[in-house]
Amino acid sequence: MCGIVGYIGNQNAVNVLMNGLNRLEYRGYDSAGISIFENDSIKTFKKVGKVEALKGIIEDRNLSSKIGIAHTRWATHGEPSDINAHPHSDSFNNISLVHNGIIENYSTLKQKLIELGYTFKSQTDSEVLTIFISYIYSQVKDLEEAVRLALSEVEGTFGIAIISNYEPDKIIAARRGSPMVLGIGDDELILASDTSAIIQYTRQVIYLADNEMVVLDANGYSTKTIGNETTTNVIHQIEYDLGRIEKSGYDHFMLKEINEQPQTITDAFRGRLLIDEGNSRLGGLSIIEEKLRNAKRIIITACGTSWHSALVGEYMIEHLCHIPVEVEYASEFRYRNPIILPDDLIIAISQSGETADTLAAIQEAKQKNATVIGIVNVVGSTISRETEAGVYIHAGPEIGVASTKAFTSQLAVLALFSLYMGRMRRVPIIEGQRIAKELSLLPEKINQILENADNIKDIAHKFYKSKNFLYLGRGYNFPVALEGALKLKEISYIHAEGYPAAEMKHGPIALIDKDMPVVFIATKDEIYEKMLSNIEEVRARKGTVIAIATEGDSQISKFADHVIYIPETLPMLIPILSVVPLQLLAYYMAVELGRDVDQPRNLAKSVTVE
Ligand code: G6P
């Protein structure tokens, strides 16, 4: 969703800001803008569309500034347009502001400001905040205090950055529920809503806490809370390399990230997989070990692809630990007054660590005294900080909007977690060793699938004109069917549904005809024979079958029109392999259709609003 960059230092701010906006494009956006100082007054440029369009209106102007702020907007209040794009200015162009999040009481504030004689150009809540700060400034004549007082009255979420003619040597930024990171370079400070806009300049960062504000000027930075209390900050190091956020020769980030999976799974296991002990070591959970031992029920909550991981996690944990597991959409969990018992453990899964609904579900669970742990990718993200303990998946930055490597790394961590919890309870060492050994073989097995990409590309070429797809799986492969269908929808815009294969008879079978390709995830397991019957049911209605099957399966080619083989592994680990060909299938179909694979229409990488 929306992205923020701010810069103060000796380089030309325009270059750093535009570069930062390019780095933030992956989050999903519909317009972009920039404010800098020129001849001692604020100049703002904004444009609907891509950052390239913004570049088009500024590149001949030879702009130069030491200070500036910039933004990519994902519309919430008001359509994507030049006027609704950020930065927003007050009536006399004395204050310029960029905002991520939603000001919930904006209409009350707007009404009050209209009564005071203020007028508005845009339909956004962000302009209301800008003018509200301007109004308070007119009373208190101190910019920092005006921002602080305004934010004290605001309800909702925000990450903001402001420059002003009143105090042109500084940037003021603040956050509540929307991430904000400060990069500390040599003689320069870079502010951004995520580290990808910072890493090129410095690895030293401070993650602002909720309700914290920061003032930057040429001499450095100072922080305090919106409640006017002093704060102390810890400087962290960004641990990934710049190469992780560049395409490195691939046509798309998504393809790069699919191909990174042998490495990202290895990274998820590093230092954690104890093959001889048949166990795993999850340092981030040691402080709650006693609570894990006593847990009587687990509730996993997440959104999107992370919710599909949660479904696989449910099967893994119930299978190895014999603890009941429930999986809840975070957006449902937060509003339905869930029953949380004293020995419940809540797991929140999130790639970004910023998803608003998942965050709100965590708050709801904490409110009810539950133990909440996180399985998160982005280091220092809000969810990683709001949870009592957790496990990072260490997949590195995921830039493609459609999640791929984060999904398999979430599954890898859920497998480690299930093994750890299982060994505490009922899993004997021999079984633990078998699982740990199989886990260690997964990266090489993913490599084998990737080597078969050309076969998948050929299949994609045959089917990319289809209007509908059905994905069917059972057991551990049911969530994979959902994920395969989601991948296709997200990036190709082809309608696709995922179903448990046996449910097909209760509705979707009515859709099957010669124009309906059906993807069966039919790997060898205890329900394999039943899957063959389901395939027969589709074939009898002239549906075309694409099967994901286990290497060495000599039967399947008699049932399916096209087969993609994957290596054998334990049933609980199959999703980590079986999803990979589905990622590639979706990718190649989207490429055939000429879609914007990395930034599909309307989607955002990190959904920071409800
Ligand atoms: C968005 C993204 C999805 C992601 C979902 C949950 O919809 O486009 O790829 O699965 O949010 O995000 P999270 O960061 O919490 O895993």
Side-chain angles (χ1 to χ4, degrees):
M1 288 200 154
C2 307
I4 289 177
V5 200
Y7 180 79
I8 197 160
N10 290 326
Q11 301 190 53
N12 183 355
V14 179
N15 300 337
V16 181
L17 296 172
M18 292 306 290
N19 195 13
L21 291 185
N22 281 134
R23 299 276 189 210
L24 295 178
E25 283 192 286
Y26 79 96
R27 296 168 67 96
Y29 70 105
D30 46 56
S31 49
I34 181 171
S35 281
I36 47 138
F37 286 101
E38 196 183 41
N39 304 326
D40 295 331
S41 68
I42 297 175
K43 287 279 173 329
T44 296
F45 304 90
K46 43 195 201 172
K47 193 82 192 132
V48 70
K50 294 281 178 188
V51 171
E52 239 3 75
L54 175 65
K55 225 175 249 170
I57 61 167
I58 63 168
E59 65 191 350
D60 294 336
R61 291 175 179 260
N62 281 331
L63 298 171
S64 176
S65 178
K66 298 288 173 221
I67 297 182
I69 54 175
H71 192 259
T72 48
R73 173 177 188 251
W74 189 89
T76 56
H77 296 66
E79 59 171 13
S81 69
D82 291 355
I83 287 190
N84 286 335
H86 298 212
H88 287 285
S89 310
D90 66 337
S91 319
F92 303 103
N93 196 29
N94 281 325
I95 291 176
S96 186
L97 173 145
V98 290
H99 168 226
N100 292 354
I102 289 185
I103 307 299
E104 284 167 5
N105 58 338
Y106 85 102
S107 57
T108 318
L109 294 173
K110 189 170 185 175
Q111 194 49 42
K112 182 170 157 186
L113 291 163
I114 288 171
E115 282 160 20
L116 288 164
Y118 288 91
T119 55
F120 295 84
K121 296 190 274 293
S122 80
Q123 298 147 293
T124 65
D125 53 337
S126 311
E127 187 188 17
V128 175
L129 177 59
T130 315
I131 292 182
F132 187 47
I133 291 171
S134 169
Y135 161 65
I136 297 188
Y137 181 85
S138 70
Q139 316 280 304
V140 299
K141 304 286 182 209
D142 175 322
L143 189 63
E144 192 181 326
E145 191 59 2
V147 172
R148 195 184 72 73
L149 291 172
L151 294 180
S152 312
E153 286 196 40
V154 156
E155 288 163 21
T157 56
F158 51 80
I160 58 159
I162 291 176
I163 56 170
S164 170
N165 286 335
Y166 299 129
E167 299 181 26
D169 56 339
K170 56 180 70 153
I171 299 176
I172 300 178
R175 69 157 278 180
R176 181 190 295 155
S178 213
M180 190 67 76
V181 192
L182 175 64
I184 304 157
D186 297 333
D187 301 324
E188 60 185 357
L189 296 165
I190 306 114
L191 189 74
S193 46
D194 81 53
T195 55
S196 62
I198 296 177
I199 185 173
Q200 187 173 343
Y201 306 100
T202 177
R203 286 176 172 277
Q204 311 240 74
V205 292
I206 287 172
Y207 298 99
L208 284 200
D210 256 356
N211 291 308
E212 194 171 29
M213 45 191 289
V214 62
V215 181
L216 326 178
D217 63 24
N219 300 319
Y221 63 92
S222 63
T223 57
K224 63 171 159 184
T225 67
I226 291 167
N228 214 11
E229 286 157 8
T230 50
T231 54
T232 49
N233 312 101
V234 182
I235 297 181
H236 296 264
Q237 288 280 331
I238 302 176
E239 279 176 6
Y240 61 86
D241 295 322
L242 192 58
R244 280 291 181 105
I245 56 167
E246 296 190 328
K247 281 192 199 151
S248 314
Y250 285 95
D251 289 343
H252 297 97
F253 280 108
M254 183 178 175
L255 185 61
K256 178 182 178 226
E257 287 158 4
I258 291 172
N259 278 281
E260 275 175 358
Q261 290 176 110
Q263 185 57 47
T264 48
I265 297 285
T266 306
D267 292 343
F269 291 159
R270 182 160 295 121
R272 292 168 167 174
L273 200 52
L274 311 173
I275 298 181
D276 289 345
E277 293 163 45
N279 207 339
S280 67
R281 183 196 296 121
L282 296 170
L285 299 182
S286 55
I287 52 166
I288 57 154
E289 193 178 322
E290 216 32 52
K291 289 182 177 173
L292 295 179
R293 262 178 215 291
N294 295 332
K296 302 257 180 328
R297 183 176 70 147
I298 292 177
I299 299 172
I300 317 181
T301 187
C303 304
T305 287
S306 298
W307 184 79
H308 294 157
S309 305
L311 291 177
V312 178
E314 174 184 16
Y315 287 39
M316 286 176 176
I317 297 167
E318 290 196 342
H319 169 63
L320 287 190
C321 316
H322 279 201
I323 308 174
V325 180
E326 285 171 28
V327 175
E328 290 253 19
Y329 282 114
S331 52
E332 291 298 313
F333 182 85
R334 62 181 293 196
Y335 281 120
R336 64 167 195 84
N337 197 15
I339 296 166
I340 294 175
L341 305 169
D343 291 325
D344 281 351
L345 174 73
I346 315 294
I347 305 178
I349 305 180
S350 174
Q351 186 285 128
S352 63
E354 303 294 347
T355 304
D357 282 323
T358 310
L359 201 49
I362 291 169
Q363 311 296 13
E364 182 61 28
K366 279 166 69 173
Q367 175 85 9
K368 295 190 154 77
N369 257 338
T371 303
V372 188
I373 67 171
I375 295 181
V376 171
N377 190 30
V378 178
V379 176
S381 56
T382 309
I383 291 177
S384 72
R385 285 148 27 127
E386 288 292 312
T387 41
E388 197 172 327
V391 188
Y392 281 121
I393 64 170
H394 292 311
E398 190 177 64
I399 306 294
V401 162
S403 186
T404 52
K405 63 175 182 173
F407 179 69
T408 46
S409 292
Q410 286 165 348
L411 299 188
V413 164
L414 282 162
L416 293 176
F417 176 80
S418 311
L419 181 58
Y420 174 64
M421 290 280 281
R423 291 282 286 124
M424 274 183 190
R425 290 154 191 263
R426 55 172 291 280
V427 174
I429 186 164
I430 303 281
E431 193 185 343
Q433 285 168 334
R434 199 165 61 96
I435 296 167
K437 178 85 182 81
E438 276 300 326
L439 280 166
S440 74
L441 300 176
L442 288 173
E444 183 42 39
K445 291 183 179 180
I446 296 176
N447 258 328
Q448 290 171 35
I449 300 170
L450 296 172
E451 280 162 13
N452 187 27
D454 282 347
N455 173 32
I456 300 168
K457 195 175 183 176
D458 289 345
I459 297 174
H461 182 69
K462 291 194 174 80
F463 289 99
Y464 74 94
K465 288 185 183 148
S466 302
K467 296 279 177 267
N468 299 287
F469 265 81
L470 200 55
Y471 285 70
L472 301 175
R474 297 182 78 152
Y476 279 105
N477 280 324
F478 159 52
V480 178
L482 297 182
E483 176 61 8
L486 178 66
K487 285 290 86 79
L488 189 66
K489 271 187 275 216
E490 283 179 312
I491 59 167
S492 72
Y493 319 147
I494 296 173
H495 171 246
E497 303 242 21
Y499 259 91
E503 272 294 303
M504 178 186 66
K505 291 188 281 299
H506 303 290
I509 200 163
L511 301 170
I512 291 171
D513 62 14
K514 64 176 181 22
D515 297 322
M516 173 68 106
V518 184
V519 180
F520 276 92
I521 306 132
T523 50
K524 279 270 180 167
D525 54 23
E526 60 272 27
I527 37 182
Y528 172 74
E529 297 295 334
K530 303 213 178 294
M531 284 296 279
L532 292 185
S533 310
N534 295 142
I535 294 178
E536 286 286 37
E537 289 156 13
V538 168
R539 302 262 294 166
R541 285 155 186 87
K542 301 202 166 25
T544 309
V545 173
I546 302 165
I548 311 296
T550 308
E551 254 162 32
D553 178 348
S554 52
Q555 250 180 310
I556 192 84
S557 58
K558 299 186 199 97
F559 290 76
D561 300 279
H562 302 275
V563 184
I564 301 166
Y565 291 101
I566 62 169
E568 192 172 6
T569 186
L570 299 175
M572 66 173 273
L573 305 182
I574 282 174
I576 300 175
L577 301 182
S578 59
V579 76
V580 178
L582 302 186
Q583 296 168 343
L584 286 168
L585 193 63
Y587 171 77
Y588 287 123
M589 284 200 257
V591 170
E592 289 273 8
L593 290 164
R595 305 296 191 222
D596 188 349
V597 172
D598 286 331
Q599 291 163 38
R601 67 183 181 203
N602 305 337
L603 293 179
K605 182 71 187 158
S606 168
V607 179
T608 49
V609 297
E610 290 193 39

